[in-house]
């Protein structure tokens, strides 16, 4: 069970919020009405109660902050040093000391002003003393505002720290950056540590859990460490150093023998020798990782010598001041997290060595004798010389054989996944939903079920020869098109009269001109702006030209010109129709009724008003539509407001809280709150 749970620390409010909380609670939970006609003892009691209640609230809140934050001297040294590395314990203690000083100052202010209130001789003087007392208390809180903000930041960071139990069975993974520590952690635990092909991906301690021999082990992935002086190491590296120094754990020192991490074996060996003092009295395993890229046997003699020197150092276990060599089996292991070769062997070796060391330490402790006195191991004595080997009943053997057959049959059975892989994979294979139907005959399962539509079987109306008929129709259509192409001919003009030949030449010339103009326009269509007709400088499209062309063809152009002019009227407002035009506006049977009902300016377009009902909308009238539009606008107001609000925005649920704005209560009971 984890002893330290920093997630339960209460949120620390800012200085302004602190004042608002306390004064609001004082206003809500103490009487709020006093009159100058009251006896002076009652007036004094009223204001003394306000001051005492405010002081007790401040004291309670500040005491909660001081008590819930851990004291660095009372917690495990691992957490004490980790907090010092992350936050600087001097600043941390100073902030808590300022909070404690503020608590004492508020108590002193309350004591002084209560003493003065005992001698208040009027309501005005008592009220002034109360205001001064509360004001000085709030000033003290505002002065420690930076300390409160600093403690809140520390609380948020501590809540994100992993829950590490310093006293349980622990496996610690360390080494240079990018040597495969996080990949190994993801293989043996359910943790999901980010793995990237660059250094310092892991910036803090990560915790996972694994099981070995029915025991739970805590696995800690530490950030990478560089070989440099102690004072030059940054906060990320110091987290690893703190864990190595204070946790009783089996240490896995990872070596990247392929060199893809960016550091040579010589540099990694130098790091091992510089921090080997942290491995004292701890089971140590040197893990040569990434053997898929560089097998251990193919290393150079110089690199092998460095690794063997590290192995010799790892086999020494320091007891007291001297060192004693121990069994070197399992000290040096090879592994590849990519192919998972040797991963389980490394885990089992580390767990086994840690377990042996913990048992050995318990055997040397003084408590062992007290425990052994409670145990009695009974050893049975032989009653005769007859040999009695272990006997397994026949029923057990038969049950075991039957279970083995069932397991083999289960392995032979094809799963839906196997069928999917055999038949094209996901997206191609479609599982049959009829295979598990319980029918008299298995061949019935794939029968096509009739589809009934309006009481008729759809299959009765399907023509089985529809594809053949379609091919015949396409063949006939092709023959017909070929005949039409053969019938087309180009008029050569040999059998035409001279007049017809002249007309034909004009037509062909006109056609070629049109084709040429069209091609020119098409080639410059993208870059050519559309020119309004009023800016047509060439005067290509005019009614005079149209009249000349129609006259040359022998057509009277008058009607066409009048129709063109009537359609291209300007935006000038027409005169309203009335008695000046000789039209009786009261004559409902007049032929010009449609004309009278037309808008005054046809050339100016009119937009539809928003509340006009369009057929098919399902609304009764414009009033109902206006109401629906207003309701729709109001419904999205709250969503729009929520969408624009960020997590840092201050939320004021109500600007006029009822308990501050409604009628004041007397000095009576407050049970109804």
């Amino acid at each position: 069970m984890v002893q330290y749970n920093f997630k339960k620390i209460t949120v620390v409010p800012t200085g302004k919020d602190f004042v608002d909380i306390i004064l609001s609670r004082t206003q809500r939970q103490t009487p709020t009405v006093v009159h100058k006609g009251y006896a002076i003892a009652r007036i004094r009691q009223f204001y003394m109660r306000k001051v005492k209640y405010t002081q007790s609230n401040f004291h309670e809140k500040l005491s909660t902050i001081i008590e819930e934050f851990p004291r660095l001297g009372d917690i495990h040294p691992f957490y004490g040093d980790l907090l010092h590395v992350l936050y600087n314990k001097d600043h941390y203690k100073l902030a808590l000391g300022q909070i404690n000083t503020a608590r004492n100052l508020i108590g002193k202010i309350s004591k002084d002003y209560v003493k003065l209130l005992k001698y208040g001789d009027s309501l005005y003087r008592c009220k002034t003393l109360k205001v001064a007392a509360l004001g000085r208390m709030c000033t003290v809180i505002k002065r420690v505002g930076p300390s409160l903000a600093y403690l809140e930041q520390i609380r948020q960071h501590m809540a994100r720290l992993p829950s590490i139990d310093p006293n349980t069975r622990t496996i610690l993974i360390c080494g240079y950056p990018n040597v495969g520590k996080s990949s190994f952690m993801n293989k043996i635990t359910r943790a999901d540590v980010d793995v990237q092909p660059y250094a310092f991906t892991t910036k803090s301690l990560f915790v996972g859990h694994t099981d070995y021999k029915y025991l739970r082990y805590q696995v800690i992935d530490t950030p990478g460490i560089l070989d440099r002086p102690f004072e030059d190491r940054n906060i990320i590296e110091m987290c690893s150093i703190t864990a190595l120094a204070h946790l009783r754990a089996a240490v896995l020192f990872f070596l990247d023998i392929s060199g893809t991490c960016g550091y040579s074996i010589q540099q990694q060996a130098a790091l091992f020798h510089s921090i080997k003092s942290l491995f004292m009295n701890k089971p140590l395993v040197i893990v040569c990782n990434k053997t898929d890229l560089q097998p251990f046997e193919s290393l150079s003699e110089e690199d092998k010598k460095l690794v063997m020197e590290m192995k010799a150092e790892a086999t020494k276990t320091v007891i007291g001041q001297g060192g004693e060599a121990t069994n070197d089996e399992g000290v040096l292991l090879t592994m590849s997290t990519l192919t998972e070769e040797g991963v389980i062997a490394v885990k089992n070796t580390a767990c086994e060595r840690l377990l042996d060391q913990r048992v050995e330490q318990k055997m040397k402790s003084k408590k062992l004798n007290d425990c052994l006195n409670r145990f009695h191991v009974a050893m049975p004595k032989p009653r005769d010389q007859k040999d009695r080997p272990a006997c397994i009943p026949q029923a057990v053997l038969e049950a075991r054989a039957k279970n083995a057959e069932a397991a083999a049959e289960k392995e032979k059975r094809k799963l839906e996944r196997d069928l999917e892989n055999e038949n094209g994979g996901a997206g191609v294979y479609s599982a049959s939903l009829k295979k598990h139907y319980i029918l008299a005959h298995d061949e019935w399962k794939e029968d096509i079920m009739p589809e009934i539509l309006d009481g008729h079987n759809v299959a009765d109306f399907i023509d089985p020869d529809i594809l053949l008929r379609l091919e015949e129709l396409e063949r006939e259509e092709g023959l017909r098109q070929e005949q039409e192409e053969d019938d087309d001919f180009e008029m050569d003009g040999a059998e035409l009269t001279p007049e017809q030949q002249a007309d034909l030449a004009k037509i062909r010339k006109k056609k070629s001109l049109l084709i040429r103009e069209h091609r020119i326009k098409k080639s410059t269509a993208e870059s050519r702006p559309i020119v309004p007709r009023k800016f047509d400088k060439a005067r290509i499209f005019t009614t005079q030209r149209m009249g000349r062309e129609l006259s040359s063809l022998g057509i009277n152009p008058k009607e066409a010109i009048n129709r063109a002019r009537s359609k291209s009227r300007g935006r000038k407002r027409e005169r309203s129709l009335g008695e000046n035009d000789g039209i009786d506006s009261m004559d409902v049977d007049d032929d010009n009724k449609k004309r009278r009902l037309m808008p005054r300016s046809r050339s100016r377009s009119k937009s539809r008003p928003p509340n006009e009902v369009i057929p098919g909308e399902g609304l009764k009238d414009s009033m109902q539509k206006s109401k629906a539009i207003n309701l729709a606008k109001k419904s999205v107001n709250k969503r729009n407001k929520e969408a624009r609000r960020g997590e840092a925005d201050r939320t004021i649920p109500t600007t006029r809280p009822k308990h501050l704005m409604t009628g004041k209560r007397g000095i009576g009971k407050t049970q109804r709150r």
Side-chain angles (χ1 to χ4, degrees), residues 419-466:
L419 294 173
E420 182 183 16
N421 294 333
E422 290 175 6
N423 294 288
V428 179
Y429 171 72
S430 178
S432 174
L433 302 178
K434 301 178 182 178
K435 66 168 70 173
H436 300 299
Y437 285 4
I438 302 172
L439 300 175
H441 301 285
D442 288 341
E443 59 268 16
W444 291 357
K445 292 180 180 179
E446 299 301 329
D447 286 354
I448 299 172
M449 297 179 67
E451 295 184 27
I452 307 300
L453 181 66
D454 296 334
H456 301 285
N457 188 352
V458 176
D460 296 339
F461 299 90
I462 294 176
D463 188 355
D465 303 329
I466 190 167

Side-chain angles (χ1 to χ4, degrees), residues 196-413:
Q196 297 293 344
Y198 48 79
F200 285 109
T201 307
T202 305
K203 295 185 177 64
S204 61
L205 300 176
F206 281 89
V207 180
H209 294 86
T210 187
D211 292 328
Y212 177 72
K213 288 187 177 179
Y214 305 103
L215 292 174
R216 177 61 55 89
Y217 286 79
Q218 180 178 253
V219 185
I220 300 177
D221 179 22
T222 63
I225 311 171
L226 299 178
D227 183 23
R228 52 187 177 182
F230 188 80
E231 57 273 7
D232 292 343
R233 290 197 165 106
N234 57 25
I235 293 176
I236 297 175
E237 295 174 86
M238 289 305 298
C239 290
S240 302
I241 299 296
T242 304
L244 283 168
H246 292 291
L247 293 178
R248 291 170 50 202
V251 179
L252 298 179
F253 186 85
F254 270 58
L255 276 175
D256 181 4
I257 59 175
S258 68
T260 54
C261 65
Y263 305 98
S264 64
I265 295 180
Q266 186 177 359
Q267 290 175 300
Q268 298 179 61
L271 171 67
F272 177 84
H273 291 298
S274 68
I275 63 171
K276 66 183 178 183
S277 59
L278 299 172
F279 303 148
M280 297 298 180
N281 295 326
K282 296 187 179 76
L284 177 61
V285 179
I286 300 171
V287 182
C288 297
N289 194 18
K290 303 187 183 179
T291 54
D292 56 313
L293 299 176
Q294 173 79 41
F296 183 76
E297 293 76 14
S298 62
L299 286 175
S300 64
E301 291 297 328
E302 186 180 350
D303 290 342
K304 277 188 180 178
K305 184 180 179 183
L306 291 172
V307 175
M308 289 305 167
E309 287 177 3
M310 294 166 61
K311 180 181 177 182
E313 288 288 339
T315 54
K316 294 179 181 178
T317 304
V318 177
I319 301 172
Q321 297 297 324
E324 178 186 330
T326 59
N327 184 15
D328 62 351
E329 183 182 353
V331 173
L332 180 66
L333 297 173
T334 58
M335 181 188 73
S336 171
T337 52
L338 184 66
T339 61
E340 299 188 11
E341 181 184 353
V343 170
I344 300 301
V346 170
K347 179 193 112 171
N348 293 347
T349 303
C351 295
E352 191 67 43
R353 297 196 65 182
L354 178 64
L355 202 58
D356 292 344
Q357 192 214 34
R358 289 172 69 92
V359 170
E360 187 180 347
Q361 286 180 347
K362 288 179 181 177
M363 293 292 287
K364 292 177 181 176
S365 65
K366 295 180 181 178
K367 293 182 180 178
L368 182 66
N369 294 329
D370 298 336
C371 296
L372 287 177
N373 290 334
R374 303 176 193 172
F375 297 126
H376 171 66
V377 182
M379 297 296 292
K381 294 180 181 179
R383 60 188 180 188
D384 52 25
Q385 301 299 322
K386 191 175 180 181
D387 189 18
R388 292 183 175 84
C391 177
I392 301 175
Q394 186 64 28
V396 174
L397 293 173
E398 291 175 0
R400 187 182 296 174
K402 192 179 292 183
N403 291 338
E405 289 176 6
E409 185 180 349
K410 188 175 181 181
E411 288 180 0
K412 289 179 183 176
R413 190 179 63 195

Side-chain angles (χ1 to χ4, degrees), residues 116-174:
L116 291 172
L117 277 167
K118 287 181 181 178
Y119 300 100
D121 55 359
S122 66
L123 186 145
Y124 174 75
R125 198 178 296 274
C126 290
K127 183 175 182 179
T128 307
L129 288 170
K130 186 266 297 185
V131 170
L134 267 58
R136 285 188 62 187
M137 291 179 191
C138 295
T139 303
V140 170
I141 291 297
K142 285 178 182 176
R143 281 180 183 169
V144 296
S147 297
L148 292 171
Y150 173 70
L151 288 174
E152 171 60 14
Q153 288 183 356
I154 288 183
R155 184 200 67 81
Q156 291 178 4
H157 197 281
M158 288 171 69
R160 292 192 290 270
L161 286 177
S163 297
I164 297 173
D165 188 353
N167 301 313
T168 190
R169 294 168 292 275
T170 306
I171 297 173
L172 202 61
I173 309 171
C174 68

Side-chain angles (χ1 to χ4, degrees), residues 554-614:
I555 300 172
N556 186 9
K558 188 174 181 180
E559 292 183 5
I561 291 171
N562 290 337
R563 186 165 68 251
R565 281 177 179 164
S566 67
K567 285 191 176 181
S568 61
R569 288 186 303 173
R571 299 175 65 92
K572 189 175 178 182
R573 187 181 179 90
E574 294 180 354
R575 285 188 299 121
S576 59
L577 304 174
E579 60 185 10
N580 294 335
D581 296 328
I583 299 173
D584 188 1
S585 59
M586 296 299 291
D587 189 2
V588 294
D589 295 330
D590 192 7
D591 293 338
N592 292 324
K593 180 181 178 183
K594 289 183 181 178
R595 187 177 173 192
R596 284 189 292 106
L597 294 176
M598 283 166 61
R600 294 177 180 237
S601 176
R602 289 181 56 188
S603 59
R604 194 181 294 274
S605 62
K606 288 180 67 178
S607 59
R608 183 184 289 115
N611 58 353
E612 182 180 335
V613 179
I614 301 170

Side-chain angles (χ1 to χ4, degrees), residues 656-670:
R656 294 170 62 98
K658 189 172 181 182
H659 66 275
L660 295 177
M661 299 299 171
T662 52
K664 299 297 183 181
R665 295 178 293 115
I667 202 169
K669 296 180 180 178
T670 58

